């Protein structure tokens, strides 16, 4: 079976959920091997977790070069491991950093890249990736026809499923290129105590309808009751009510959670472009004609300052 490399994203010694999703998808298209970079003394734990989710092999490389923000050392490592093992595909999470890494790996391997895949399946001439395009109006299936297919996959594309495998650990010593420190990832990780927006299973977003920065209080309370991330429309961000790092949409982040709740958001095409692939969409809007209602699974016509606190109270009551 073809060897599929999976770059395992981890933080504070814990494997991030999207990496487990990649391992789950990798099993559909070949034999997964995990690549664990810069995990220090947590490498053994991380390798064990990767094995639990199907990694037959785990390539481990350590070094201070693999800090969170440096891109090129990760590119050096992935490229060298892919070449040495004749990997059929390299899977990376579709984060800002992941896409920087993946594009450079594809260039170095002289192959091709598919970004923001939402599904993967085995094809006759290699992995077939599904992308959702034009604000999720169409699905496109693509393959890479030359060399190892480098594919970035959106978080929440699949539910992670354990499938214990060998997990043989192989230490790799990476030859770093001279410009290792020259490129840093553009996306710094900001800790808010809530799940990362692009990885969260639930996102609660507020728009111009919240009326002011303080209006996000009801959005945050519902998000915290649900263990969700907070998103914002561009109108809310442009008004200075919420940080740009939380913007969802064409010029913000692309999210694809299990549940997306849009409060006081009209549903402009540019906002849809960032959330339309969410599995279940709920909107709360006082205008029954708001375009967001065209794409929702559940719509509530009402004032968000009445509906959201009720929902928060109900969620808390059910949690006990
Ligand atoms: P509005 O369109 O003003 O909608 C506010 C909604 O709140 C209304 O439907 C109203 O009925 C409802 N409302 C008001 N009060 C309440 C209440 N008390 N309770 C319930 N409902 C209430 N937008 C993005 O979001 N993300 C992007 O990445 C993005 N990129 C863009 C890129 C380009 C090049 C351009 C041109 C635009 C982009 N936009 C983006 C902007 C987009 O076109 C819309 O202007 C924006 O999404 C509108 O935000 P909104 O829905 O919050 O505001």
């Amino acid at each position: 079976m073809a060897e599929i490399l999976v770059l395992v994203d981890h933080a504070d010694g814990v494997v991030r959920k999207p990496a487990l999703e990649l391992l789950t998808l990798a099993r559909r298209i070949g034999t997964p091997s995990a690549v664990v970079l810069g995990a220090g003394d947590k490498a053994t734990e991380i390798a064990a977790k990767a094995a639990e989710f199907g990694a037959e092999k785990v390539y481990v490389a350590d070094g201070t070069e693999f800090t969170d923000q440096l891109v090129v050392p990760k590119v050096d490592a992935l490229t060298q491991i892919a070449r040495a093992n004749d990997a059929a595909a390299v899977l990376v999470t579709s984060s800002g950093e992941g896409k920087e890494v993946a594009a450079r790996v594809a260039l170095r391997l002289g192959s091709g890249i598919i970004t923001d895949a939402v599904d993967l399946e085995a094809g006759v001439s290699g992995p077939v990736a599904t992308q959702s395009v034009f604000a999720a109006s169409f699905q496109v299936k693509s393959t890479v026809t030359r060399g190892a297919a480098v594919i970035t996959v959106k978080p929440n594309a699949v539910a992670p499923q354990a499938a214990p495998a060998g997990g043989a650990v192989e230490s790799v010593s990476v030859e770093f290129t001279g410009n290792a420190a020259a490129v840093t990832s553009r996306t710094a990780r900001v800790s808010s105590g809530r799940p990362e927006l692009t990885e969260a299973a639930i996102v609660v977003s507020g728009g111009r309808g919240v009326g002011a920065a303080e209006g996000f209080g009801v959005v945050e309370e519902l998000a915290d009751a649900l263990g969700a991330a907070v998103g914002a429309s561009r109108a809310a961000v442009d008004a200075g009510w919420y940080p740009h790092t939380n913007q969802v949409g064409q010029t913000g982040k692309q999210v694809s959670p299990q549940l997306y709740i849009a409060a006081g958001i009209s549903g402009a095409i540019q906002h849809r472009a960032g959330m339309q692939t969410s599995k279940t969409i709920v909107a709360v809007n006082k205008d029954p004609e708001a375009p967001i209602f065209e794409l929702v699974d559940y719509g509530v016509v009402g004032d968000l300052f009445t509906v959201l606190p009720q929902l928060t109270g109900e969620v808390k009551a059910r949690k006990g």
Side-chain angles (χ1 to χ4, degrees):
M1 279 264 269
E3 184 167 2
I4 313 296
L5 294 185
V6 170
L7 178 61
V8 174
D9 203 5
H10 56 88
D12 306 321
V14 177
V15 177
R16 296 172 82 92
K17 185 169 147 269
L20 305 179
E21 295 164 9
L22 291 184
L23 286 163
T24 304
L25 281 172
R27 301 201 302 267
R28 294 187 190 167
I29 56 173
T31 306
S33 292
V35 177
V36 177
L37 306 175
D41 57 4
K42 298 285 183 189
T44 312
E45 273 167 60
I46 291 178
K49 188 78 177 172
E52 203 184 307
F53 282 77
E56 283 295 347
K57 266 198 234 167
V58 184
Y59 300 105
V60 174
D62 208 8
T64 49
E65 290 82 357
F66 298 116
T67 67
D68 230 2
Q69 301 296 302
L70 287 181
V71 168
V72 176
K74 290 167 190 153
V75 176
D76 289 337
L78 269 180
T79 311
Q80 286 164 34
I81 296 167
R83 280 206 188 110
N85 298 283
D86 199 18
V90 180
L91 305 186
V92 180
T93 302
S94 265
S95 58
E97 180 187 289
K99 285 194 251 188
E100 290 252 13
V101 170
R104 288 162 191 274
V105 169
L107 190 70
R108 292 236 196 130
L109 292 175
S111 62
I113 181 169
I114 299 170
T115 56
D116 292 333
V118 292
D119 202 7
L120 288 181
E121 62 195 297
V124 262
S125 55
V128 180
T130 304
Q131 291 161 296
S132 185
V133 299
F134 295 128
S137 309
F138 298 95
Q139 293 217 315
V140 176
K141 287 183 186 285
S142 319
T143 52
V144 171
T145 53
R146 193 175 65 176
V150 181
I151 303 172
T152 76
V153 181
K154 280 189 172 186
N156 292 311
V158 70
Q161 278 168 1
V169 173
E170 191 176 309
S171 267
V172 179
S173 81
V174 178
E175 210 173 292
F176 294 110
T177 56
N179 56 354
V183 182
T184 57
S185 159
R186 288 165 300 166
T187 46
R189 278 184 185 136
V190 182
S191 177
S192 65
R194 298 191 178 97
E196 212 283 313
L197 183 58
T198 56
E199 296 174 9
I202 306 176
V203 175
V204 185
S205 288
R208 204 197 305 268
V210 305
E214 302 74 51
F216 266 89
V218 289
V219 176
E220 289 182 335
E221 279 163 22
L222 177 58
D224 290 342
L226 290 166
V230 174
S233 74
R234 178 161 161 179
V237 169
D238 285 353
W241 302 341
Y242 225 70
H244 180 256
T245 44
N246 295 69
Q247 184 178 314
V248 172
Q250 185 183 315
T251 44
K253 289 191 173 150
Q254 313 264 310
V255 301
S256 200
Q258 297 296 324
L259 173 63
Y260 186 87
I261 302 177
I265 293 177
S266 61
I269 186 81
Q270 297 89 353
H271 187 79
R272 293 181 187 207
M275 45 65 75
Q276 202 163 3
T277 53
S278 305
K279 309 288 179 298
T280 301
I281 299 171
V282 176
V284 180
N285 196 303
K286 64 182 185 186
D287 174 8
E289 303 298 324
I292 190 91
F293 287 127
E294 290 163 13
L295 77 153
V296 299
D297 298 283
Y298 301 97
V300 182
V301 178
D303 189 323
L304 69 92
F305 293 103
T306 310
V307 177
L308 262 50
Q310 282 178 359
L311 205 48
T312 305
E314 187 63 31
V315 172
K316 284 184 177 165
R318 284 182 188 222
K319 276 185 174 173

